[in-house]
Amino acid sequence: MACLHAANILLPAKGTNRKKWAVIACDQFTSQPEYWEKAEEYVGSAPSALRLIYPEAYLNSDDKDSYQRRIAGIRENMEQYLSEGIMTEEVHQGYVLTVRETAAGIRVGLIAALDLESYNYTNKTQNKVRATEETVQERIPVRVGIRRNALVESPHVMMLLDDPSERLLEPLYQKREKFRRLYDTELMLGGGNVCGYAIEGMDAEELTERITEMERESQEIFLAVGDGNHSLAAAKNCWEDLKERLSERKTDTYPGRYALVEVVNLHSPSLEFEAIHRVLYGGEPEKVAEGFCKYLENRGMRAAEEWTDESTADIILVQGTRRKGLRLPDAEGHLAVELLQHFLDAYLKEHAGMELDYVHSPEAVEELTGEGKACGMLLRSIEKSSLFPAIHAGGVLPRKTFSIGTESQKRYYMECRSLVEL
């Protein structure tokens, strides 16, 4: 079977304020709860995807009871939105072409159902659909808790298609006005604008044939996860548990076998790879640098300190306005982010009480470390053209190796899909 399929796609009903409905991916602004407070204030009591997600900014502050209340509230909101017709089926056995305007340009995507049987997130998989980054098992249970027994899903998963010849998405974009327009809305809090077009009927059938042909022609990998790796891993885990309780006849068509995703072309000029920086709460730059240098020495490598010329540094340690650059002149083909992440994993085990966070903007790193209670680590981004070859060669990359665009350019929740048989 092909890995991508048409789907029955739900959208907020006509008359719904879609600017208030669409909300950014739940794993953004994790160290900036004030963003989510602004989102809450803006949405107010209006129907919104904000009521269907668990912003991860609250995970560290929520105790077990608060967590359970949030999960229960999400399920109640799903049930209410379905029963009251706030979410309705707008596309039957079709796709949605998305056109997103961001500071980086126009990003074209395709909303489709991904067959979870074609995907595996382990490092040694030979599946056509693969993870790009290491999956942290500890991060999956929270997402499983949300998806298990949920009535609907709304994706922030972005899949990358290696399509330098622009065979799939770009021709759809050129004839987008031929398709029925589903929505055209500004996005809250600086997210830009997004339009959606329905691809259905014969157009959907022809698109399915083209996708299947391209998958058949692909060599090792057809799709790689760009964003939402852990959410897709949670969907996979839920499906593996669920299919054990289903008859063989039902496993091919049961909604839980699929996950709604957005497919984008890796070669789109608007698809920018950004570095993801680290903030170690409780860390001191000098001690972190010393520990990292010893870590490298034990592996036959070294770090050269650069106090003045940051342009040559592979890693810059930050604490407010204090900065120290480190070069890795003999990293033996390893990415700087790979070496740093493996060091930090070990460092955290040796230093109880420290916490590590992942931050997208250098300005946020400086702000979060400004009071001298944390150490920031600024990294360079990888070249996106190296992504698929790197996965071919060595499997998944370290977690949080790169980000697709800045936080405000991340996918906003809009489309939904039922996870149960209606």
Side-chain angles (χ1 to χ4, degrees):
M1 290 181 66
C3 66
L4 287 177
H5 297 259
N8 297 331
I9 297 174
L10 310 175
L11 283 169
K14 290 179 175 60
T16 303
N17 184 325
R18 284 172 174 167
K19 184 176 179 182
K20 292 190 175 185
W21 173 270
V23 65
I24 206 163
C26 65
D27 57 352
Q28 300 306 303
F29 298 102
T30 54
S31 295
Q32 296 158 281
E34 60 271 15
Y35 175 93
W36 294 98
E37 291 167 5
K38 290 177 183 176
E40 287 279 356
E41 182 180 356
Y42 178 75
V43 167
S45 60
S48 177
L50 185 59
R51 308 302 171 209
L52 308 179
I53 67 168
Y54 196 138
E56 293 187 11
Y58 301 134
L59 282 177
N60 288 336
S61 59
D62 281 355
D63 57 22
K64 184 176 180 181
D65 290 340
S66 299
Y67 168 79
Q68 295 295 344
R69 283 195 299 271
R70 283 190 192 271
I71 297 297
I74 289 170
R75 291 175 182 156
E76 289 172 6
N77 293 330
M78 289 177 178
E79 185 174 352
Q80 177 190 353
Y81 285 3
L82 288 171
S83 64
E84 295 182 2
I86 293 171
M87 287 189 294
T88 60
E89 183 180 300
E90 285 290 328
V91 178
H92 183 74
Q93 285 304 291
Y95 305 87
V96 174
L97 178 72
T98 63
V99 180
R100 174 82 180 275
E101 295 180 9
T102 73
I106 294 176
R107 187 175 74 219
V108 181
L110 184 72
I111 305 297
L114 175 73
D115 185 357
L116 293 167
E117 286 291 318
S118 66
Y119 157 73
N120 198 313
Y121 57 83
T122 62
N123 192 22
K124 298 180 180 179
T125 182
Q126 296 300 311
N127 289 52
K128 287 272 190 167
V129 182
R130 302 191 199 176
T132 51
E133 298 180 344
E134 175 189 1
T135 301
V136 184
Q137 293 295 328
E138 293 79 6
R139 296 184 63 193
I140 295 179
V142 171
R143 292 167 172 80
V144 169
I146 296 169
R147 188 178 179 92
R148 184 184 291 125
N149 301 321
L151 297 177
V152 297
E153 64 169 348
S154 186
H156 76 261
V157 176
M158 185 181 291
M159 307 300 299
L160 302 177
L161 173 69
D162 190 9
D163 183 19
S165 300
E166 300 184 345
R167 295 172 56 192
L168 186 65
L169 298 174
E170 290 74 12
L172 295 172
Y173 175 72
Q174 292 301 322
K175 59 180 182 181
R176 62 192 180 283
E177 295 304 333
K178 169 188 173 184
F179 305 128
R180 178 167 59 94
R181 186 176 295 196
L182 296 166
Y183 55 80
D184 182 350
T185 182
E186 185 181 351
L187 297 168
M188 71 169 76
L189 300 177
N193 184 277
V194 65
C195 293
Y197 301 85
I199 302 176
E200 47 202 344
M202 288 296 296
D203 291 319
E205 292 177 16
E206 292 174 4
L207 180 55
T208 298
E209 291 176 3
R210 191 180 316 143
I211 292 170
T212 303
E213 179 184 2
M214 291 178 67
E215 179 181 351
R216 189 166 51 244
E217 292 172 356
S218 64
Q219 298 299 312
E220 296 289 332
I221 306 173
F222 181 54
L223 295 171
V225 185
D227 270 338
N229 181 56
H230 290 88
S231 292
L232 195 59
K236 175 73 170 181
N237 282 18
C238 286
W239 169 240
E240 292 297 325
D241 291 342
L242 180 60
K243 73 179 181 181
E244 297 296 326
R245 305 192 296 273
L246 296 174
S247 66
E248 186 174 347
R249 180 178 61 85
K250 277 193 170 186
T251 56
D252 285 348
T253 59
Y254 197 81
R257 173 171 173 157
Y258 303 89
L260 207 60
V261 301
E262 181 179 26
V263 179
V264 298
N265 188 354
L266 174 67
H267 300 276
S268 168
S270 66
L271 199 69
E272 298 181 335
F273 276 20
E274 302 281 349
I276 301 180
H277 311 294
R278 273 66 173 159
V279 172
L280 181 64
Y281 293 100
E284 287 288 340
E286 289 77 10
K287 293 181 179 179
V288 171
E290 181 183 357
F292 185 46
C293 289
K294 288 182 179 178
Y295 175 87
L296 294 174
E297 288 173 8
N298 291 338
R299 286 152 183 80
M301 292 177 275
R302 63 190 175 88
E305 296 185 3
E306 296 285 353
W307 288 93
T308 56
D309 187 6
E310 292 184 358
S311 65
T312 63
D314 296 297
I315 302 169
I316 300 173
L317 300 178
V318 177
Q319 192 171 65
T321 58
R322 297 167 59 202
R323 303 167 78 90
K324 175 187 287 189
L326 296 176
R327 274 194 309 112
L328 309 182
D330 52 0
E332 300 178 353
H334 293 280
L335 296 173
V337 65
E338 173 191 357
L339 296 169
L340 179 64
Q341 186 62 52
H342 291 160
F343 159 71
L344 290 172
D345 289 342
Y347 196 76
L348 284 167
K349 291 178 181 178
E350 298 171 359
H351 296 79
M354 290 188 182
E355 293 183 5
L356 183 65
D357 197 9
Y358 303 90
V359 180
H360 291 263
S361 75
E363 294 78 13
V365 172
E366 292 180 4
E367 181 179 347
L368 292 168
T369 62
E371 295 183 359
K373 298 179 181 179
C375 172
M377 289 146 276
L378 302 180
L379 292 152
R380 298 181 184 275
S381 179
I382 67 169
E383 291 292 331
K384 66 179 183 180
S385 60
S386 68
L387 179 62
F388 274 58
I391 301 171
H392 276 302
V396 297
L397 302 174
R399 65 185 182 276
K400 299 292 186 181
T401 295
F402 65 93
S403 171
I404 297 177
T406 60
E407 286 143 313
S408 63
Q409 295 171 17
K410 296 297 183 178
R411 175 166 172 78
Y412 275 60
Y413 302 103
M414 178 67 81
E415 294 82 4
C416 298
R417 185 181 69 94
S418 175
L419 287 173
V420 296
E421 293 180 317
L422 300 176

